[in-house]
Amino acid sequence: MDSERHLIERVAKKLPSRIGGGLRVGIGDDAAVMRPRKGSEWVLTTDAFLENVHFQLRLHPPEAVGYKALARATSDLAAMGARPRYFLLSLALPPSCTGKWFDRFLEGMSRAARGFGLVLAGGDTTKNPLAAINLTVIGEVPPGQAVLRSGARPGNLICVSGTLGEAELGLRLLQRGWGKFSAGPSSELRVNKWSPNPRKKWVRLLRKHFYPEPRLALGEWLAKNRRATAMIDTSDGLSTDLAHLCEASGVGARVWAHRIPRVAVPNEIRKLGLDPLRLALDGGEDYELLFTVPRRTARRLPRVVRGVPITVIGEITRGKHILLMDGAGRTKTLPAQGWDPFRVRM
Amino acid sequence: MDSERHLIERVAKKLPSRIGGGLRVGIGDDAAVMRPRKGSEWVLTTDAFLENVHFQLRLHPPEAVGYKALARATSDLAAMGARPRYFLLSLALPPSCTGKWFDRFLEGMSRAARGFGLVLAGGDTTKNPLAAINLTVIGEVPPGQAVLRSGARPGNLICVSGTLGEAELGLRLLQRGWGKFSAGPSSELRVNKWSPNPRKKWVRLLRKHFYPEPRLALGEWLAKNRRATAMIDTSDGLSTDLAHLCEASGVGARVWAHRIPRVAVPNEIRKLGLDPLRLALDGGEDYELLFTVPRRTARRLPRVVRGVPITVIGEITRGKHILLMDGAGRTKTLPAQGWDPFRVRM
């Protein structure tokens, strides 16, 4: 059985955790000590990632668990336009996850940390029958530059980055047994009869569910250039996250269904009842940015920023209603049917 | 079934969470935004508090769960000499804990937050079969004033605040069925035949296990007056926490057993095999401060600081050994037998 100390040593070795820059005291003391940069504001968020709620050991490769735990939390910084700096890792693990699984978990988390520019500043480890991971991520933003949920105004156009519904499609396929990972380091996918060349195709369709990419560069660009009046990341699903944004801003919205950039569902699996529009509207965990821009500046908004496509999908309205308009101009209410952990679904 | 939104509304209502001071954006957005005070360093720590690892729903009143979750994390700030400012709360709860239990939990956490001077800045809620709580606490300290574990030097005297072993005694009695709390708001204790006036006595003996007091004022005083060369809080137990401090400082220690301020075990329960010295050496969760002071300034150290007694219990030595010396001058090795979540105990 591993001691807590040995686990912490492995964490320190695998994850970027060097003292320097603003970090005066890192892991190994009672708390981390940081010196904020002059004239900056700090942006902080905390996020739980729990076995059997957010992931399953038999379905998710350890690398994806480590990567995604950090990516989810960091996406909240992207949604504020902040630049990631440090993170704190709280780890509760069953003894079965302290061996090889743990090395692979750290591998995935290390990839995320380096990719996002994060340094581990502190943490906590304990034993628990189920894996329970909590991330606290700390970022910086110039004073007054953070983009809030509450700044959307009637007439603003609604934009979204990337493609919606991809992560949900991956999750649905995974739940249907389309990807079952071996315990080995190669993360092999079992062959499934549905597809002619299943392995390659599945890897592609599962990628966004396993390895979402927080839109950090886009978020920072929007904040720095003061292009967005309000912003949120699509963690719960467009219908729910747009409702959050509208509520915080005290406005309504009209979304043009045919404009929504939605997941491509391969023909051979359409028969599974996977509707691209539904996946795009209510599917969670894409971690794209949903933001609003003044109509007069919308024209000057590039279609692609830092490699990420941006699509105008609707407009902010007076009142409180959120409506979905189809290609023929018919509107209906768009209910918030994304992810709510305390609401029973399906 | 409660929605996530309704839970968050109750949190915001019960816990201090007002925008102002350095807090620009609090709960309700993607992340919190804070403006650090000029010329201050930030001290951050994260801490999990898990059902069936750190507490049990049938043994611990909800108020104590809420209070202690925050107190444990805040004690790490006391150990750095920092002043608490903000906290982030990550809550995973079973549906059975979202009703009356949750109100009482928030009651206890609110008492802790107000007592420690903490404002809730953000959080995360989700559903989970077992309660899993994670706290991130943020404090401030003047630059360079944080007291680390690594500053102890040979010849320094070792000091401890308060009395050791009290929390462990409470835990042992609780585990033996000495305190079983009703689900009602009065937190009634069941009568036990051991004691002539059990209820009062138990409340006293269980208090430190349920409601530990982070030594914030003492920690800040020691840091501000630069009295302590190294400091740690006794969360795992004296024998283990002293080993942590010595390892970080690259030193050894000699502890005088007869000087250790230890829990008073009532005569009528001595027969349960509860040895006060063992409880004081290896019992965790007292959340007292263990610190070292230069010998030449030790004489000027008050015996009581901000109402908390301080006792000199040993000295720092060269080498790596940690020794326990009894009243007759006999020494033996003091093994680290406090709490290690990944080591099998008993």
Side-chain angles (χ1 to χ4, degrees):
Chain A
M1 187 57 181
D2 259 325
S3 72
E4 180 175 19
R5 183 183 148 175
H6 184 221
L7 283 183
I8 295 172
E9 279 168 8
R10 285 158 71 196
V11 169
K13 205 170 155 183
K14 275 279 177 89
L15 299 181
S17 57
R18 201 173 328 170
I19 298 295
L23 187 62
R24 281 198 60 241
V25 178
I27 56 175
D29 218 300
D30 295 297
V33 181
M34 299 159 192
R35 190 165 291 178
R37 244 187 275 246
K38 253 187 199 167
S40 69
E41 288 181 340
W42 282 41
V43 183
L44 283 94
T45 182
T46 193
D47 209 21
F49 197 54
L50 306 172
E51 183 181 346
N52 296 348
V53 175
H54 302 103
F55 68 92
Q56 291 184 40
L57 289 182
R58 71 185 178 85
L59 291 181
H60 293 84
E63 292 86 354
V65 176
Y67 176 95
K68 192 169 172 178
L70 191 51
R72 286 160 46 94
T74 307
S75 177
D76 282 326
L77 295 193
M80 305 296 281
R83 176 175 292 187
R85 295 292 309 275
Y86 311 109
F87 70 110
L88 306 174
L89 170 62
S90 186
L91 264 180
L93 294 177
S96 62
C97 285
T98 58
K100 186 75 194 159
W101 188 94
F102 191 55
D103 286 328
R104 294 178 56 192
F105 166 87
L106 289 176
E107 194 62 44
M109 184 165 280
S110 176
R111 204 187 108 198
R114 289 173 210 279
F116 309 153
L118 283 166
V119 173
L120 180 70
D124 175 49
T125 59
T126 195
K127 193 164 72 169
N128 199 46
L130 294 177
I133 302 155
N134 201 90
L135 269 305
T136 300
V137 184
I138 300 130
E140 278 184 329
V141 74
Q145 199 172 286
V147 185
L148 311 191
R149 293 181 179 180
S150 51
R153 296 291 168 261
N156 283 181
L157 294 179
I158 303 167
C159 302
V160 74
S161 68
T163 307
L164 299 182
E166 289 182 334
E168 183 76 17
L169 175 64
L171 173 63
R172 300 281 186 94
L173 295 179
L174 201 64
Q175 286 170 337
R176 281 182 166 88
W178 274 55
K180 200 156 188 175
F181 285 80
S182 74
S186 61
S187 299
E188 258 181 73
L189 292 166
R190 272 196 205 161
V191 174
N192 180 299
K193 62 184 168 146
W194 278 95
S195 165
N197 184 3
R199 198 175 145 156
K200 254 195 186 151
K201 188 163 284 175
W202 297 345
V203 168
R204 186 175 61 78
L205 296 179
L206 297 178
R207 195 192 295 140
K208 196 157 176 186
H209 173 67
F210 285 155
Y211 300 105
E213 291 175 37
R215 300 305 192 186
L216 289 162
L218 171 61
E220 207 180 327
W221 185 90
L222 289 167
K224 194 172 145 190
N225 295 291
R226 302 193 182 271
R227 293 298 185 97
T229 52
M231 185 150 64
I232 189 171
D233 63 325
T234 62
S235 52
D236 298 336
L238 175 61
S239 64
T240 292
D241 292 316
L242 180 58
H244 289 324
L245 186 148
C246 286
E247 198 200 335
S249 296
V251 296
R254 188 179 297 114
V255 175
W256 308 315
H258 60 289
R259 295 275 193 97
I260 298 171
R262 68 198 72 174
V263 58
V265 180
N267 276 332
E268 65 260 49
I269 58 171
R270 290 251 171 162
K271 59 183 104 168
L272 294 176
L274 297 163
D275 172 39
L277 181 60
R278 276 272 58 96
L279 292 173
L281 287 171
D282 301 328
E285 300 206 302
D286 280 319
Y287 300 105
E288 295 294 347
L289 292 180
L290 178 69
F291 56 98
T292 53
V293 295
R295 195 178 287 262
R296 58 185 161 70
T297 64
R299 244 177 310 164
R300 283 183 284 128
L301 199 66
R303 289 196 174 186
V304 176
V305 173
R306 309 282 161 103
V308 184
I310 295 171
T311 313
V312 175
I313 61 164
E315 59 192 339
I316 295 294
T317 58
R318 285 177 208 289
K320 308 276 170 182
H321 298 292
I322 300 181
L323 302 171
L324 185 70
M325 182 187 279
D326 68 16
R330 287 180 297 255
T331 61
K332 56 178 182 179
T333 299
L334 176 61
Q337 286 179 330
W339 169 251
D340 180 334
F342 281 95
R343 196 164 49 209
V344 181
R345 288 173 83 206
M346 286 183 288
Chain B
M1 188 55 183
D2 258 325
S3 73
E4 181 175 18
R5 183 182 149 174
H6 183 221
L7 282 184
I8 294 172
E9 280 169 5
R10 285 158 72 198
V11 168
K13 205 170 157 185
K14 274 280 176 88
L15 298 181
S17 56
R18 200 174 328 171
I19 298 293
L23 187 64
R24 281 197 60 239
V25 178
I27 56 176
D29 217 300
D30 294 297
V33 181
M34 300 160 192
R35 189 165 293 182
R37 245 188 274 247
K38 253 187 200 166
S40 69
E41 288 181 339
W42 281 40
V43 182
L44 284 94
T45 183
T46 193
D47 208 21
F49 197 54
L50 307 172
E51 184 181 345
N52 296 348
V53 175
H54 302 103
F55 68 91
Q56 291 184 41
L57 289 181
R58 69 184 179 86
L59 290 181
H60 293 85
E63 292 87 352
V65 175
Y67 175 95
K68 193 170 172 177
L70 191 52
R72 284 161 47 92
T74 308
S75 177
D76 283 327
L77 295 194
M80 304 297 280
R83 178 176 290 188
R85 296 293 308 276
Y86 311 110
F87 70 111
L88 307 173
L89 169 63
S90 185
L91 263 180
L93 294 177
S96 62
C97 285
T98 57
K100 185 75 194 159
W101 188 94
F102 191 55
D103 287 328
R104 294 178 56 192
F105 166 88
L106 289 176
E107 193 64 42
M109 185 164 280
S110 176
R111 204 187 106 198
R114 288 173 213 278
F116 309 153
L118 283 165
V119 173
L120 180 70
D124 176 50
T125 59
T126 194
K127 192 163 71 169
N128 199 47
L130 293 176
I133 303 155
N134 199 90
L135 270 303
T136 300
V137 183
I138 300 127
E140 278 183 330
V141 74
Q145 198 173 286
V147 185
L148 312 190
R149 293 181 179 181
S150 51
R153 296 293 168 258
N156 283 181
L157 294 179
I158 304 167
C159 303
V160 72
S161 68
T163 306
L164 300 181
E166 290 182 334
E168 183 75 17
L169 175 64
L171 173 63
R172 301 282 185 93
L173 296 178
L174 201 65
Q175 286 171 335
R176 280 183 166 87
W178 275 55
K180 202 155 187 176
F181 285 80
S182 73
S186 62
S187 299
E188 258 181 74
L189 293 165
R190 272 197 205 159
V191 175
N192 180 299
K193 62 183 168 143
W194 279 96
S195 166
N197 186 1
R199 197 174 146 157
K200 256 195 184 150
K201 187 163 285 176
W202 297 346
V203 169
R204 184 175 62 78
L205 296 179
L206 296 177
R207 193 193 295 138
K208 196 156 176 190
H209 174 67
F210 286 154
Y211 299 104
E213 291 174 38
R215 300 305 192 185
L216 290 162
L218 171 60
E220 207 180 326
W221 186 89
L222 288 167
K224 195 171 145 192
N225 295 290
R226 301 192 184 270
R227 294 298 186 96
T229 52
M231 186 150 62
I232 190 171
D233 63 326
T234 62
S235 52
D236 297 337
L238 175 61
S239 64
T240 292
D241 292 317
L242 180 58
H244 289 325
L245 185 147
C246 285
E247 197 199 336
S249 296
V251 296
R254 189 179 294 115
V255 176
W256 307 315
H258 59 288
R259 295 273 194 96
I260 298 171
R262 70 199 69 175
V263 58
V265 179
N267 275 332
E268 65 262 50
I269 58 171
R270 290 250 171 162
K271 57 183 105 172
L272 295 176
L274 298 163
D275 172 40
L277 182 60
R278 273 282 43 104
L279 292 172
L281 287 171
D282 302 327
E285 299 206 302
D286 279 319
Y287 300 105
E288 295 294 347
L289 292 179
L290 178 69
F291 57 97
T292 53
V293 295
R295 197 178 283 263
R296 59 187 160 68
T297 62
R299 244 177 309 166
R300 281 183 286 128
L301 199 68
R303 290 198 173 182
V304 176
V305 173
R306 307 283 162 101
V308 183
I310 294 172
T311 312
V312 176
I313 61 164
E315 59 192 339
I316 294 295
T317 59
R318 285 176 208 289
K320 307 276 169 181
H321 297 292
I322 299 181
L323 302 172
L324 185 69
M325 183 187 279
D326 68 16
R330 287 179 297 254
T331 60
K332 55 178 181 180
T333 299
L334 176 62
Q337 286 180 329
W339 170 251
D340 181 334
F342 280 95
R343 195 164 50 209
V344 180
R345 286 174 82 207
M346 287 184 286

